[in-house]
Amino acid sequence: GMGSKRKKVSKIFAELKLTLSERSFWPIVATAKEVLFVYRGPVSEKMKITPQTTKTLRIHISRISG
């Protein structure tokens, strides 16, 4: 919306100091049109929990060793 600040995923990755190999597998939640959440990064204003929130989705992220 008006006044909301957008960041490119590449800028978030740089701020998180991720290596190129980490970036390939870093968790991102997105719709077909926009990024909603980058793990350890900022949360979209649309996704923040407010007093008006009626439904939530919990996502568990764990490292897969291999």
mmCIF file of all heavy atoms in Angstrom, residues 4-37:
data_model
loop_
_atom_site.group_PDB
_atom_site.id
_atom_site.type_symbol
_atom_site.label_atom_id
_atom_site.label_comp_id
_atom_site.label_asym_id
_atom_site.label_seq_id
_atom_site.Cartn_x
_atom_site.Cartn_y
_atom_site.Cartn_z
ATOM 1 N N SER A 4 4.300 1.896 1.991
ATOM 2 C CA SER A 4 4.991 0.663 2.369
ATOM 3 C C SER A 4 6.324 0.609 1.630
ATOM 4 O O SER A 4 6.439 1.039 0.499
ATOM 5 C CB SER A 4 4.142 -0.570 2.050
ATOM 6 O OG SER A 4 3.937 -0.690 0.654
ATOM 7 N N LYS A 5 7.328 0.100 2.300
ATOM 8 C CA LYS A 5 8.667 0.062 1.740
ATOM 9 C C LYS A 5 8.936 -1.333 1.196
ATOM 10 O O LYS A 5 8.797 -2.309 1.906
ATOM 11 C CB LYS A 5 9.673 0.425 2.829
ATOM 12 C CG LYS A 5 11.024 0.761 2.310
ATOM 13 C CD LYS A 5 11.865 1.383 3.391
ATOM 14 C CE LYS A 5 13.171 1.817 2.806
ATOM 15 N NZ LYS A 5 14.015 2.452 3.783
ATOM 16 N N ARG A 6 9.309 -1.415 -0.058
ATOM 17 C CA ARG A 6 9.601 -2.700 -0.679
ATOM 18 C C ARG A 6 11.101 -2.890 -0.774
ATOM 19 O O ARG A 6 11.841 -1.947 -0.998
ATOM 20 C CB ARG A 6 9.001 -2.764 -2.088
ATOM 21 C CG ARG A 6 7.510 -2.740 -2.061
ATOM 22 C CD ARG A 6 6.952 -2.757 -3.473
ATOM 23 N NE ARG A 6 5.600 -3.266 -3.382
ATOM 24 C CZ ARG A 6 5.169 -4.338 -4.043
ATOM 25 N NH1 ARG A 6 5.951 -4.970 -4.842
ATOM 26 N NH2 ARG A 6 3.941 -4.754 -3.895
ATOM 27 N N LYS A 7 11.519 -4.141 -0.596
ATOM 28 C CA LYS A 7 12.933 -4.486 -0.741
ATOM 29 C C LYS A 7 13.034 -5.646 -1.704
ATOM 30 O O LYS A 7 12.223 -6.565 -1.672
ATOM 31 C CB LYS A 7 13.515 -4.943 0.600
ATOM 32 C CG LYS A 7 13.992 -3.861 1.477
ATOM 33 C CD LYS A 7 14.758 -4.469 2.650
ATOM 34 C CE LYS A 7 15.206 -3.395 3.583
ATOM 35 N NZ LYS A 7 15.890 -3.945 4.738
ATOM 36 N N LYS A 8 14.069 -5.633 -2.512
ATOM 37 C CA LYS A 8 14.318 -6.764 -3.395
ATOM 38 C C LYS A 8 14.880 -7.915 -2.565
ATOM 39 O O LYS A 8 15.601 -7.698 -1.588
ATOM 40 C CB LYS A 8 15.315 -6.380 -4.480
ATOM 41 C CG LYS A 8 14.731 -5.390 -5.466
ATOM 42 C CD LYS A 8 15.668 -5.196 -6.626
ATOM 43 C CE LYS A 8 14.995 -4.310 -7.640
ATOM 44 N NZ LYS A 8 15.610 -4.402 -8.942
ATOM 45 N N VAL A 9 14.540 -9.131 -2.975
ATOM 46 C CA VAL A 9 15.032 -10.313 -2.268
ATOM 47 C C VAL A 9 16.558 -10.323 -2.267
ATOM 48 O O VAL A 9 17.171 -10.653 -1.259
ATOM 49 C CB VAL A 9 14.455 -11.606 -2.886
ATOM 50 C CG1 VAL A 9 15.115 -12.841 -2.294
ATOM 51 C CG2 VAL A 9 12.942 -11.663 -2.683
ATOM 52 N N SER A 10 17.168 -9.913 -3.347
ATOM 53 C CA SER A 10 18.642 -9.898 -3.404
ATOM 54 C C SER A 10 19.223 -8.972 -2.339
ATOM 55 O O SER A 10 20.267 -9.274 -1.753
ATOM 56 C CB SER A 10 19.124 -9.482 -4.796
ATOM 57 O OG SER A 10 18.632 -8.191 -5.132
ATOM 58 N N LYS A 11 18.557 -7.861 -2.055
ATOM 59 C CA LYS A 11 19.033 -6.938 -1.013
ATOM 60 C C LYS A 11 18.877 -7.572 0.373
ATOM 61 O O LYS A 11 19.755 -7.462 1.226
ATOM 62 C CB LYS A 11 18.274 -5.618 -1.087
ATOM 63 C CG LYS A 11 18.752 -4.615 -0.062
ATOM 64 C CD LYS A 11 18.161 -3.255 -0.298
ATOM 65 C CE LYS A 11 18.586 -2.323 0.796
ATOM 66 N NZ LYS A 11 19.568 -1.367 0.402
ATOM 67 N N ILE A 12 17.757 -8.264 0.595
ATOM 68 C CA ILE A 12 17.551 -8.960 1.875
ATOM 69 C C ILE A 12 18.620 -10.031 2.051
ATOM 70 O O ILE A 12 19.210 -10.158 3.121
ATOM 71 C CB ILE A 12 16.132 -9.562 1.945
ATOM 72 C CG1 ILE A 12 15.087 -8.441 1.945
ATOM 73 C CG2 ILE A 12 15.983 -10.453 3.177
ATOM 74 C CD1 ILE A 12 13.659 -8.926 1.760
ATOM 75 N N PHE A 13 18.883 -10.795 0.994
ATOM 76 C CA PHE A 13 19.922 -11.822 1.065
ATOM 77 C C PHE A 13 21.276 -11.201 1.415
ATOM 78 O O PHE A 13 22.029 -11.748 2.215
ATOM 79 C CB PHE A 13 20.027 -12.581 -0.253
ATOM 80 C CG PHE A 13 18.944 -13.609 -0.475
ATOM 81 C CD1 PHE A 13 18.849 -14.256 -1.697
ATOM 82 C CD2 PHE A 13 18.027 -13.945 0.502
ATOM 83 C CE1 PHE A 13 17.886 -15.215 -1.923
ATOM 84 C CE2 PHE A 13 17.048 -14.901 0.288
ATOM 85 C CZ PHE A 13 16.979 -15.538 -0.929
ATOM 86 N N ALA A 14 21.591 -10.061 0.825
ATOM 87 C CA ALA A 14 22.859 -9.391 1.109
ATOM 88 C C ALA A 14 22.901 -8.946 2.568
ATOM 89 O O ALA A 14 23.924 -9.102 3.242
ATOM 90 C CB ALA A 14 23.048 -8.203 0.172
ATOM 91 N N GLU A 15 21.796 -8.396 3.068
ATOM 92 C CA GLU A 15 21.739 -7.955 4.462
ATOM 93 C C GLU A 15 21.894 -9.126 5.430
ATOM 94 O O GLU A 15 22.444 -8.974 6.519
ATOM 95 C CB GLU A 15 20.426 -7.219 4.730
ATOM 96 C CG GLU A 15 20.354 -5.871 4.041
ATOM 97 C CD GLU A 15 18.988 -5.230 4.112
ATOM 98 O OE1 GLU A 15 18.019 -5.863 4.595
ATOM 99 O OE2 GLU A 15 18.878 -4.074 3.662
ATOM 100 N N LEU A 16 21.402 -10.303 5.029
ATOM 101 C CA LEU A 16 21.535 -11.499 5.853
ATOM 102 C C LEU A 16 22.914 -12.143 5.698
ATOM 103 O O LEU A 16 23.218 -13.132 6.358
ATOM 104 C CB LEU A 16 20.440 -12.515 5.500
ATOM 105 C CG LEU A 16 19.008 -12.099 5.839
ATOM 106 C CD1 LEU A 16 18.009 -13.090 5.253
ATOM 107 C CD2 LEU A 16 18.829 -11.983 7.340
ATOM 108 N N LYS A 17 23.723 -11.608 4.802
ATOM 109 C CA LYS A 17 25.079 -12.102 4.536
ATOM 110 C C LYS A 17 25.090 -13.574 4.118
ATOM 111 O O LYS A 17 25.898 -14.378 4.580
ATOM 112 C CB LYS A 17 25.990 -11.874 5.737
ATOM 113 C CG LYS A 17 26.187 -10.400 6.073
ATOM 114 C CD LYS A 17 27.074 -10.229 7.289
ATOM 115 C CE LYS A 17 27.486 -8.809 7.544
ATOM 116 N NZ LYS A 17 26.492 -7.804 7.697
ATOM 117 N N LEU A 18 24.156 -13.913 3.225
ATOM 118 C CA LEU A 18 24.061 -15.288 2.736
ATOM 119 C C LEU A 18 25.030 -15.507 1.586
ATOM 120 O O LEU A 18 25.196 -14.636 0.728
ATOM 121 C CB LEU A 18 22.641 -15.581 2.250
ATOM 122 C CG LEU A 18 21.534 -15.467 3.290
ATOM 123 C CD1 LEU A 18 20.180 -15.710 2.637
ATOM 124 C CD2 LEU A 18 21.749 -16.427 4.434
ATOM 125 N N THR A 19 25.629 -16.679 1.557
ATOM 126 C CA THR A 19 26.488 -17.041 0.425
ATOM 127 C C THR A 19 25.591 -17.384 -0.763
ATOM 128 O O THR A 19 24.389 -17.604 -0.614
ATOM 129 C CB THR A 19 27.358 -18.265 0.761
ATOM 130 O OG1 THR A 19 26.497 -19.392 0.947
ATOM 131 C CG2 THR A 19 28.203 -18.029 2.003
ATOM 132 N N LEU A 20 26.182 -17.454 -1.944
ATOM 133 C CA LEU A 20 25.397 -17.796 -3.133
ATOM 134 C C LEU A 20 24.758 -19.175 -3.000
ATOM 135 O O LEU A 20 23.611 -19.373 -3.400
ATOM 136 C CB LEU A 20 26.276 -17.735 -4.386
ATOM 137 C CG LEU A 20 26.688 -16.326 -4.814
ATOM 138 C CD1 LEU A 20 27.645 -16.390 -6.009
ATOM 139 C CD2 LEU A 20 25.482 -15.477 -5.150
ATOM 140 N N SER A 21 25.490 -20.124 -2.413
ATOM 141 C CA SER A 21 24.919 -21.471 -2.269
ATOM 142 C C SER A 21 23.763 -21.464 -1.268
ATOM 143 O O SER A 21 22.780 -22.173 -1.459
ATOM 144 C CB SER A 21 25.991 -22.480 -1.868
ATOM 145 O OG SER A 21 26.582 -22.125 -0.645
ATOM 146 N N GLU A 22 23.859 -20.654 -0.195
ATOM 147 C CA GLU A 22 22.755 -20.563 0.768
ATOM 148 C C GLU A 22 21.515 -19.942 0.127
ATOM 149 O O GLU A 22 20.391 -20.355 0.392
ATOM 150 C CB GLU A 22 23.169 -19.723 1.978
ATOM 151 C CG GLU A 22 24.163 -20.395 2.886
ATOM 152 C CD GLU A 22 24.677 -19.472 3.971
ATOM 153 O OE1 GLU A 22 24.916 -18.273 3.709
ATOM 154 O OE2 GLU A 22 24.848 -19.967 5.097
ATOM 155 N N ARG A 23 21.728 -18.956 -0.723
ATOM 156 C CA ARG A 23 20.610 -18.270 -1.377
ATOM 157 C C ARG A 23 19.765 -19.225 -2.218
ATOM 158 O O ARG A 23 18.554 -19.062 -2.319
ATOM 159 C CB ARG A 23 21.126 -17.132 -2.253
ATOM 160 C CG ARG A 23 21.769 -16.031 -1.454
ATOM 161 C CD ARG A 23 22.404 -14.981 -2.334
ATOM 162 N NE ARG A 23 23.193 -14.060 -1.513
ATOM 163 C CZ ARG A 23 23.440 -12.809 -1.823
ATOM 164 N NH1 ARG A 23 22.985 -12.311 -2.954
ATOM 165 N NH2 ARG A 23 24.141 -12.055 -1.022
ATOM 166 N N SER A 24 20.395 -20.210 -2.805
ATOM 167 C CA SER A 24 19.677 -21.169 -3.668
ATOM 168 C C SER A 24 18.635 -21.972 -2.908
ATOM 169 O O SER A 24 17.655 -22.435 -3.490
ATOM 170 C CB SER A 24 20.667 -22.140 -4.312
ATOM 171 O OG SER A 24 21.553 -21.442 -5.128
ATOM 172 N N PHE A 25 18.855 -22.165 -1.604
ATOM 173 C CA PHE A 25 17.972 -23.020 -0.817
ATOM 174 C C PHE A 25 17.266 -22.281 0.311
ATOM 175 O O PHE A 25 16.624 -22.896 1.142
ATOM 176 C CB PHE A 25 18.779 -24.196 -0.228
ATOM 177 C CG PHE A 25 19.381 -25.068 -1.289
ATOM 178 C CD1 PHE A 25 20.710 -24.922 -1.670
ATOM 179 C CD2 PHE A 25 18.595 -26.018 -1.937
ATOM 180 C CE1 PHE A 25 21.253 -25.717 -2.662
ATOM 181 C CE2 PHE A 25 19.137 -26.813 -2.933
ATOM 182 C CZ PHE A 25 20.467 -26.662 -3.296
ATOM 183 N N TRP A 26 17.396 -20.946 0.377
ATOM 184 C CA TRP A 26 16.839 -20.162 1.478
ATOM 185 C C TRP A 26 15.316 -20.108 1.374
ATOM 186 O O TRP A 26 14.767 -19.837 0.317
ATOM 187 C CB TRP A 26 17.422 -18.754 1.446
ATOM 188 C CG TRP A 26 17.360 -18.086 2.779
ATOM 189 C CD1 TRP A 26 16.492 -17.106 3.150
ATOM 190 C CD2 TRP A 26 18.168 -18.354 3.914
ATOM 191 N NE1 TRP A 26 16.722 -16.733 4.452
ATOM 192 C CE2 TRP A 26 17.755 -17.497 4.946
ATOM 193 C CE3 TRP A 26 19.204 -19.241 4.166
ATOM 194 C CZ2 TRP A 26 18.338 -17.495 6.205
ATOM 195 C CZ3 TRP A 26 19.783 -19.233 5.415
ATOM 196 C CH2 TRP A 26 19.350 -18.367 6.416
ATOM 197 N N PRO A 27 14.599 -20.368 2.484
ATOM 198 C CA PRO A 27 13.131 -20.393 2.455
ATOM 199 C C PRO A 27 12.505 -19.016 2.184
ATOM 200 O O PRO A 27 12.863 -18.019 2.807
ATOM 201 C CB PRO A 27 12.748 -20.862 3.860
ATOM 202 C CG PRO A 27 13.978 -21.516 4.407
ATOM 203 C CD PRO A 27 15.124 -20.781 3.782
ATOM 204 N N ILE A 28 11.594 -19.002 1.215
ATOM 205 C CA ILE A 28 10.817 -17.811 0.869
ATOM 206 C C ILE A 28 9.364 -18.245 0.712
ATOM 207 O O ILE A 28 9.094 -19.287 0.113
ATOM 208 C CB ILE A 28 11.298 -17.190 -0.457
ATOM 209 C CG1 ILE A 28 12.729 -16.685 -0.321
ATOM 210 C CG2 ILE A 28 10.370 -16.078 -0.921
ATOM 211 C CD1 ILE A 28 13.315 -16.169 -1.614
ATOM 212 N N VAL A 29 8.428 -17.460 1.252
ATOM 213 C CA VAL A 29 6.997 -17.710 1.062
ATOM 214 C C VAL A 29 6.491 -16.614 0.136
ATOM 215 O O VAL A 29 6.698 -15.430 0.398
ATOM 216 C CB VAL A 29 6.225 -17.680 2.406
ATOM 217 C CG1 VAL A 29 4.740 -17.847 2.179
ATOM 218 C CG2 VAL A 29 6.753 -18.768 3.337
ATOM 219 N N ALA A 30 5.849 -17.022 -0.963
ATOM 220 C CA ALA A 30 5.400 -16.049 -1.952
ATOM 221 C C ALA A 30 4.122 -16.503 -2.637
ATOM 222 O O ALA A 30 3.821 -17.696 -2.675
ATOM 223 C CB ALA A 30 6.491 -15.844 -2.996
ATOM 224 N N THR A 31 3.407 -15.534 -3.163
ATOM 225 C CA THR A 31 2.285 -15.823 -4.053
ATOM 226 C C THR A 31 2.841 -15.750 -5.470
ATOM 227 O O THR A 31 4.038 -15.505 -5.658
ATOM 228 C CB THR A 31 1.151 -14.788 -3.894
ATOM 229 O OG1 THR A 31 1.613 -13.516 -4.375
ATOM 230 C CG2 THR A 31 0.698 -14.666 -2.457
ATOM 231 N N ALA A 32 1.984 -15.891 -6.462
ATOM 232 C CA ALA A 32 2.435 -15.744 -7.844
ATOM 233 C C ALA A 32 2.865 -14.309 -8.136
ATOM 234 O O ALA A 32 3.631 -14.061 -9.065
ATOM 235 C CB ALA A 32 1.321 -16.158 -8.796
ATOM 236 N N LYS A 33 2.407 -13.354 -7.301
ATOM 237 C CA LYS A 33 2.667 -11.943 -7.588
ATOM 238 C C LYS A 33 3.619 -11.241 -6.633
ATOM 239 O O LYS A 33 4.161 -10.198 -6.971
ATOM 240 C CB LYS A 33 1.350 -11.173 -7.596
ATOM 241 C CG LYS A 33 0.428 -11.598 -8.708
ATOM 242 C CD LYS A 33 -0.795 -10.745 -8.752
ATOM 243 C CE LYS A 33 -1.672 -11.171 -9.907
ATOM 244 N NZ LYS A 33 -2.808 -10.300 -10.074
ATOM 245 N N GLU A 34 3.798 -11.767 -5.415
ATOM 246 C CA GLU A 34 4.637 -11.039 -4.465
ATOM 247 C C GLU A 34 5.257 -11.946 -3.409
ATOM 248 O O GLU A 34 4.708 -12.992 -3.084
ATOM 249 C CB GLU A 34 3.844 -9.937 -3.783
ATOM 250 C CG GLU A 34 2.730 -10.433 -2.905
ATOM 251 C CD GLU A 34 1.900 -9.310 -2.298
ATOM 252 O OE1 GLU A 34 2.472 -8.286 -1.884
ATOM 253 O OE2 GLU A 34 0.678 -9.468 -2.253
ATOM 254 N N VAL A 35 6.392 -11.496 -2.900
ATOM 255 C CA VAL A 35 7.065 -12.181 -1.796
ATOM 256 C C VAL A 35 6.401 -11.730 -0.501
ATOM 257 O O VAL A 35 6.217 -10.545 -0.271
ATOM 258 C CB VAL A 35 8.570 -11.856 -1.778
ATOM 259 C CG1 VAL A 35 9.227 -12.444 -0.545
ATOM 260 C CG2 VAL A 35 9.235 -12.373 -3.047
ATOM 261 N N LEU A 36 6.028 -12.697 0.342
ATOM 262 C CA LEU A 36 5.364 -12.391 1.610
ATOM 263 C C LEU A 36 6.319 -12.491 2.791
ATOM 264 O O LEU A 36 6.187 -11.770 3.765
ATOM 265 C CB LEU A 36 4.176 -13.327 1.820
ATOM 266 C CG LEU A 36 3.114 -13.274 0.728
ATOM 267 C CD1 LEU A 36 2.083 -14.366 0.952
ATOM 268 C CD2 LEU A 36 2.467 -11.909 0.668
ATOM 269 N N PHE A 37 7.291 -13.402 2.694
ATOM 270 C CA PHE A 37 8.162 -13.645 3.828
ATOM 271 C C PHE A 37 9.465 -14.264 3.356
ATOM 272 O O PHE A 37 9.461 -15.178 2.539
ATOM 273 C CB PHE A 37 7.456 -14.591 4.800
ATOM 274 C CG PHE A 37 8.296 -15.043 5.959
ATOM 275 C CD1 PHE A 37 8.572 -14.199 7.010
ATOM 276 C CD2 PHE A 37 8.821 -16.322 6.002
ATOM 277 C CE1 PHE A 37 9.348 -14.616 8.084
ATOM 278 C CE2 PHE A 37 9.590 -16.756 7.063
ATOM 279 C CZ PHE A 37 9.855 -15.895 8.109
#
